[in-house]
Amino acid sequence: MLFGWEKSGQAATTVPLFIQSKGASAPVYAYVANEVQRVGTMYSDRVFEVIDENEHYFFIQYGFVKGMVKKDEAKLGRPYAFTRGPDRLRKSVITTREAQVYSFQNGKKQAIGSIQPGVRYPIKAETALFYLIEFGGRDGYIYKHVTEKDHGVPVLLYHHILDDSDEPLFRSTTTVLFSQFFNEMTYLKENGYTAITPDLLLAYVRKERLLPPKSVLITFDDGLKSTYIYAYPLLKQYGFRATVFMITGRMRPSPQPFDPTGLQFLSKQEIAQMRDIITFESHTSHFHLSDKKYGPYLLFKPYEEVMADLLASKEKIGATALAYPFGAYNERVVDMVQQAGFTMAFTTKKGTVYPGDPVFELKRQWVYPRISLRQFEQLLQP
């Protein structure tokens, strides 16, 4: 169904299609997380380049993703050779209100479309007043004052949580007070954050879907029982999704008594109960270990042993994502993780996630004990 065909000698080439609205305007839709939402508008008498089509929609380039225009709201327009400027900035902004998209012809400013509020949009260049963007195959300008900086999507990293009165019994750089965790989750809730799943983050990185402007992935490494005791009830109360990276070889066949003086791991029964809001992924099976001489196991163990461990952990919980133990990886490890069938992997490198990032080197923001809410806010918007 895609486009028409022209023959040049013996070679057949596709002929680009161009569309314009049938009426005064036509809505542009896109997937935002799991929902199709209106994300913009194309105005009448303006033509836009089609990059794909199906039975119901024309698709145009809309920032990071494909924008969808209903076929009953658009018609074919005249072919047009757009002049497009190079992408010099390679960053994005979030619209804070409806942003008109302008073109300048003979010194006159004309609106060609608009972008809805709360949309992440890549920018190519800037002037004193405007950002240069690409909208439906053509360059346009939006005012800077209707946007804010896109800080990317933070992936929060937690490990162990203890009640404030028990924390002195197991104090470490990975133990967060429950009062701190409660305040941080309450901050996310009160400030309108959406807690997403790894598959949505992957679609965002692959430039397949947009995400709400305040999106966060909440993760826990190791698979400790304290996640079940303290995190799970609060996350469920707030309607948040989260992800646990399991050391599957330490998964218990039945629940263990909780003891704040040591570490216990999640059982099969607890995992089954938590799956209503928790996604379980891999933190290896038995290779969350480090040798004093050679370092983390993934870095030096033989190929066959590493692959067997990765496959065992993947199969045990149906994982598609991996968090590198100790954050340690190299090119060899990345290749093996891919060969094992994982679709993404997380590091402990600081930073947030943007479209186009390497899917096997995704950054996270480690939430350290006893940080202030101001410091937590800086993890969300570094």
Side-chain angles (χ1 to χ4, degrees):
M1 289 184 74
L2 177 59
F3 310 148
W5 291 87
E6 281 187 354
K7 288 188 176 180
S8 175
Q10 296 299 315
T13 58
T14 58
V15 179
L17 293 182
F18 294 83
I19 57 170
Q20 60 189 95
S21 65
K22 285 183 178 178
S25 64
V28 181
Y29 302 91
Y31 273 97
V32 180
N34 284 321
E35 297 181 359
V36 174
Q37 296 181 13
R38 181 173 179 170
V39 294
T41 306
M42 60 182 206
Y43 294 160
S44 64
D45 300 324
R46 309 299 175 195
V47 291
F48 301 90
E49 185 177 354
V50 176
I51 58 173
D52 204 348
E53 66 176 311
N54 63 21
E55 184 179 355
H56 302 290
Y57 291 98
F58 291 116
F59 297 94
I60 65 172
Q61 192 64 45
Y62 182 84
F64 294 120
V65 299
K66 289 181 179 180
M68 302 182 289
V69 181
K70 293 180 180 179
K71 286 192 168 180
D72 59 6
E73 295 179 328
K75 61 184 179 182
L76 294 180
R78 65 189 184 281
Y80 203 93
F82 296 122
T83 301
R84 301 169 191 164
D87 185 354
R88 294 191 178 95
L89 291 183
R90 299 187 181 279
K91 66 178 184 179
S92 58
V93 295
I94 299 175
T95 52
T96 56
R97 64 181 105 162
E98 186 174 13
Q100 301 297 314
V101 183
Y102 299 102
S103 66
F104 290 88
Q105 295 179 352
N106 301 320
K108 294 183 178 180
K109 183 178 68 175
Q110 298 176 319
I112 62 173
S114 67
I115 301 170
Q116 292 292 101
V119 174
R120 301 173 186 271
Y121 215 93
I123 55 178
K124 300 168 63 174
E126 64 180 311
T127 68
L129 294 177
F130 294 98
Y131 286 125
L132 174 66
I133 66 164
E134 191 171 314
F135 185 97
R138 58 188 298 171
D139 280 352
Y141 293 84
I142 58 174
Y143 279 108
K144 287 183 173 181
H145 71 266
V146 299
T147 71
E148 63 184 11
K149 180 182 178 181
D150 183 0
H151 295 277
V153 176
V155 181
L156 300 178
L157 169 56
Y158 292 94
H159 287 81
H160 191 36
I161 300 173
L162 282 181
D163 186 81
D164 293 40
S165 61
D166 291 331
E167 187 264 349
L169 302 174
F170 199 92
R171 182 168 290 171
S172 76
T173 57
T174 60
T175 302
V176 170
L177 297 170
F178 177 71
S179 60
Q180 175 185 332
F181 181 73
F182 176 86
N183 290 338
E184 290 163 355
M185 294 303 103
T186 301
Y187 177 91
L188 295 179
K189 183 68 175 179
E190 292 179 347
N191 285 275
Y193 276 83
T194 300
I196 62 170
T197 54
D199 62 319
L200 285 178
L201 185 72
L202 181 61
Y204 165 78
V205 173
R206 287 177 171 172
K207 303 181 182 181
E208 297 168 351
R209 296 195 178 193
L210 294 170
L211 288 177
K214 290 184 175 181
S215 293
V216 60
L217 181 63
I218 304 167
T219 71
F220 299 83
D221 279 7
D222 300 344
L224 298 172
K225 188 180 177 80
S226 64
T227 308
Y228 175 78
I229 298 295
Y230 294 111
Y232 173 64
L234 182 61
L235 292 168
K236 190 166 184 176
Q237 177 185 338
Y238 284 168
F240 283 164
R241 301 297 302 262
T243 299
V244 172
F245 290 102
M246 290 287 304
I247 306 172
T248 58
R250 300 179 192 177
M251 186 189 307
R252 311 314 301 165
S254 59
Q256 296 178 291
F258 184 67
D259 179 2
T261 64
L263 297 176
Q264 300 83 46
F265 292 86
L266 291 169
S267 67
K268 294 180 180 179
Q269 295 90 334
E270 290 161 340
I271 290 170
Q273 181 181 344
M274 296 168 71
R275 281 191 183 273
D276 58 342
I277 63 164
I278 304 291
T279 301
F280 289 90
E281 303 291 356
S282 172
H283 205 28
T284 71
S285 182
H286 296 284
F287 274 22
H288 192 286
L289 296 169
S290 185
D291 182 89
K292 289 184 179 179
K293 182 176 180 180
Y294 298 106
Y297 274 27
L298 287 188
L299 298 183
F300 74 91
K301 285 289 186 179
Y303 173 89
E304 294 78 9
E305 293 182 25
V306 174
M307 284 298 294
D309 187 89
L310 292 174
L311 291 171
S313 71
K314 186 173 183 290
E315 181 179 354
K316 198 165 190 177
I317 53 173
T320 59
L322 175 100
Y324 299 111
F326 315 107
Y329 70 98
N330 54 25
E331 187 175 339
R332 169 182 177 265
V333 172
V334 170
D335 287 343
M336 287 190 288
V337 170
Q338 290 180 267
Q339 292 170 30
F342 290 96
T343 58
M344 60 197 305
F346 293 82
T347 71
T348 55
K349 289 184 177 179
K350 291 185 62 176
T352 54
V353 176
Y354 291 90
D357 280 354
V359 295
F360 291 95
E361 300 179 61
L362 297 174
K363 297 174 181 176
R364 290 194 284 177
Q365 298 286 55
W366 191 312
V367 184
Y368 289 97
R370 300 180 185 276
I371 63 172
S372 66
L373 270 181
R374 174 59 181 158
Q375 290 172 307
F376 180 72
E377 186 179 35
Q378 291 171 344
L379 296 178
L380 301 170
Q381 299 183 350

